[in-house]
Amino acid sequence: MPPFSQALSSSPSSYSPQLDPVQLDPARSCPPRQQQVDGIYHHGDRVHDVRLVLPALCIWAVDIIGAYGGYRSVSGVLIGALICVVIFIRREHRNRLLLACVVAVLCSGISLLPRLIMSDQSTLTSLTSGKSAATAHTVTGRIASKPQHGLTGTYLTVRTAYGDMTVYAKGQQWDNLVLGQRITAVMKLDQRPENHFTQGEWRAIYLRESQPPHGIWAFSAYESRKWEEALTHADATGLTPSLHALARGMSIGDTSGLSPEYKDNYRASGLTHLTAVSGANVSYVLLLAGIFLRHSSPRRKSIVSALLLILFAALVGPEPAVLRATISGAVGVLALWKGGRSSAFPALGAGIMTLLILSPSFAVSPGFALSVVATAALIWGAPQLSHCLHALKVPAVISDTLAVTVVASVSTMPVSLYFFGTASTFGILANILVAPVVPFITAMGLVGVVVSVVCPLLGGLAVSYTHLRAHETRGNLV
């Protein structure tokens, strides 16, 4: 049965029973009313259900308003949403999609309002507007991002009860800090917050107390130590310091060892995402796993993919960037596996809502916007491009990888121009050239991370082989 006939048979009350069968032919032009039904769009022979994406975008908009307008602006939005709900209740014919958007705005505003009130009335925020901002203050919180240890000092994000704060610290006592530790430190405000979700930038004076991580953070810290031990073994086999840093960047997203020169080179060539935890890393791993599961049932694919995602988050560390990359990469691969059917966009909508509920500060994060745009583009265009490459006799793994690379690179260029004022046109070509080897290098790097937990020596051997290929790729492009 053609897709349009299925849509009509599922909701016959929305259409006239006297329609001529010829009008149901998808190859012919159809009235606009048949192309869009309650948030369901027909794109050729594929169906895109965006009914969950629109409420997610409404939640995103409310979080942006709260970030820059504070609790007073959100209060105004809540009043407007309540008025809309009353109007909907009094109407006989209701647009369910529009009602869902209004309810999403209402729920998001209600959950966000207490947090904004607490943030605006917190002790830290009051410091940013008074003369006491120049004095030192004691702050307690948990390290929410992997500390980046460099030659000039350590940069980290500390999550307090009132919001996240970016901290710059110098001294040996900060060199051994890891993700998930709870610390108490004396700090001084450097820069006032840009929005109501953060507490600004602070300079640490000295570390008063630090507690060891627990749970999944403790496992991630243990894995990081074993991985560094594996890299040390790899150094003995000829791994250069630059490759050592590259191995950490491509496997667990730790770029603290990369020199400023290398960072500038990767940025100029559009390959920065290779040394950071992004949805592309997750997509590559799941795509390679999909090769071995190509003939498996959807249930088995889902179970294996879920286990791989949990393992990835545990190994790299449960920081916000990892959660964003995990969900974005999973949704993008789901689009390829499902061939762009209607389940991919609802997954994207659910992912957006989950991330914004867990961390509303994602709403003003450039990385989050890049992930959402790239994932939506993958759902819309990657299956079609992959199908075209299949028709040209390109192997499945290469066609899928190229489709992900090309669509993601092209779609994120306007977003990069908006946030950063620049975009690498050469980056598209560079990403296409490295696309055939990067999935293998990334996946083998993660295999090395897993193996190093049991035997660091074997993990070091995997690094020596895998990142030799990465070095060759970098030498050709950077």
Side-chain angles (χ1 to χ4, degrees):
M1 181 182 294
F4 279 89
S5 301
Q6 292 177 356
L8 292 175
S9 61
S10 62
S11 56
S13 59
S14 302
Y15 297 86
S16 172
Q18 300 179 356
L19 285 175
D20 187 82
V22 176
Q23 295 178 346
L24 304 182
D25 185 0
R28 301 194 178 190
S29 59
C30 300
R33 188 165 60 98
Q34 290 176 290
Q35 292 286 338
Q36 177 182 352
V37 181
D38 291 333
I40 300 178
Y41 294 86
H42 296 269
H43 183 214
D45 60 346
R46 293 178 288 149
V47 181
H48 295 296
D49 186 352
V50 299
R51 287 176 292 182
L52 201 58
V53 175
L54 297 180
L57 295 179
C58 291
I59 295 176
W60 194 354
V62 173
D63 287 347
I64 293 176
I65 294 174
Y68 296 107
Y71 70 91
R72 294 181 178 85
S73 298
V74 174
S75 299
V77 172
L78 282 176
I79 294 174
L82 286 173
I83 294 174
C84 292
V85 169
V86 173
I87 294 175
F88 274 115
I89 293 176
R90 297 176 63 90
R91 293 185 60 181
E92 295 182 2
H93 303 286
R94 305 183 184 95
N95 187 314
R96 294 183 179 181
L97 182 59
L98 188 57
L99 179 61
C101 292
V102 175
V103 172
V105 170
L106 191 62
C107 295
S108 176
I110 292 175
S111 63
L112 191 62
L113 196 59
R115 173 172 180 157
L116 290 173
I117 293 176
M118 181 181 297
S119 177
D120 287 355
Q121 296 180 354
S122 69
T123 304
L124 293 180
T125 303
S126 64
L127 295 177
T128 64
S129 58
K131 296 181 179 179
S132 57
T135 62
H137 303 276
T138 302
V139 178
T140 300
R142 185 183 298 276
I143 299 177
S145 67
K146 190 167 295 185
Q148 299 295 314
H149 305 289
L151 297 177
T152 60
T154 300
Y155 291 89
L156 65 156
T157 300
V158 177
R159 177 159 295 174
T160 68
Y162 308 105
D164 294 348
M165 52 194 302
T166 303
V167 179
Y168 169 73
K170 295 181 66 175
Q172 294 181 351
Q173 58 180 341
W174 297 89
D175 292 341
N176 296 323
L177 293 181
V178 296
L179 175 67
Q181 282 190 271
R182 189 168 183 83
I183 64 172
T184 300
V186 178
M187 306 182 188
K188 183 181 295 185
L189 181 67
D190 257 3
Q191 184 174 338
R192 288 177 170 79
E194 298 178 352
N195 57 71
H196 293 267
F197 289 147
T198 66
Q199 295 295 324
E201 297 182 5
W202 294 70
R203 182 181 297 272
I205 300 177
Y206 67 90
L207 182 64
R208 176 173 293 180
E209 181 186 3
S210 64
Q211 301 177 4
H214 300 283
I216 191 173
W217 289 288
F219 174 76
S220 178
Y222 173 78
E223 173 274 324
S224 295
R225 291 195 300 270
K226 288 294 184 179
W227 182 231
E228 190 62 31
E229 185 178 344
L231 293 177
T232 302
H233 286 295
D235 291 342
T237 64
L239 193 71
T240 62
S242 60
L243 282 180
H244 186 122
L246 181 62
R248 286 194 300 180
M250 293 190 69
S251 56
I252 60 176
D254 185 359
T255 60
S256 58
L258 289 174
S259 65
E261 179 184 359
Y262 282 128
K263 291 181 180 180
D264 292 339
N265 289 338
Y266 280 110
R267 189 178 299 111
S269 59
L271 299 175
T272 306
H273 63 90
L274 298 182
T275 59
V277 178
S278 64
N281 299 71
V282 182
S283 299
Y284 295 148
V285 174
L286 294 184
L287 283 174
L288 286 178
I291 297 175
F292 302 99
L293 301 172
R294 182 168 293 273
H295 301 292
S296 302
S297 63
R299 181 179 181 181
R300 180 173 297 180
K301 281 186 177 181
S302 301
I303 293 175
V304 174
S305 299
L307 292 176
L308 286 175
L309 292 176
I310 294 173
L311 179 63
F312 176 82
L315 291 174
V316 179
E319 55 182 321
V322 175
L323 297 177
R324 185 192 71 225
T326 301
I327 293 179
S328 300
V331 172
V333 172
L334 177 65
L336 283 176
W337 284 354
K338 293 292 185 179
R341 290 197 290 266
S342 59
S343 57
F345 268 114
L348 174 61
I352 294 174
M353 288 190 287
T354 301
L355 290 172
L356 291 177
I357 290 172
L358 292 175
S359 180
S361 59
F362 276 137
V364 292
S365 168
F368 180 75
L370 288 168
S371 295
V372 171
V373 171
T375 305
L378 288 176
I379 296 173
W380 190 267
Q384 192 170 7
L385 179 57
S386 178
H387 178 74
C388 293
L389 294 174
H390 275 302
L392 298 175
K393 308 301 181 181
V394 179
V397 60
I398 297 180
S399 62
D400 288 348
T401 305
L402 286 176
V404 170
T405 302
V406 173
V407 173
S409 300
V410 174
S411 62
T412 54
M413 283 189 64
V415 184
S416 298
L417 284 172
Y418 175 78
F419 282 109
F420 309 115
T422 181
S424 175
T425 54
F426 175 73
I428 299 177
L429 178 60
N431 279 279
I432 292 174
L433 292 177
V434 302
V437 296
V438 167
F440 171 77
I441 294 172
T442 303
M444 287 301 297
L446 291 176
V447 169
V449 173
V450 175
V451 172
S452 66
V453 176
V454 180
C455 181
L457 179 59
L458 291 179
L461 293 177
V463 172
S464 299
Y465 172 74
T466 303
H467 289 279
L468 177 62
R469 300 285 301 275
H471 179 64
E472 294 174 354
T473 303
R474 185 200 64 186
N476 293 332
L477 292 175
V478 177

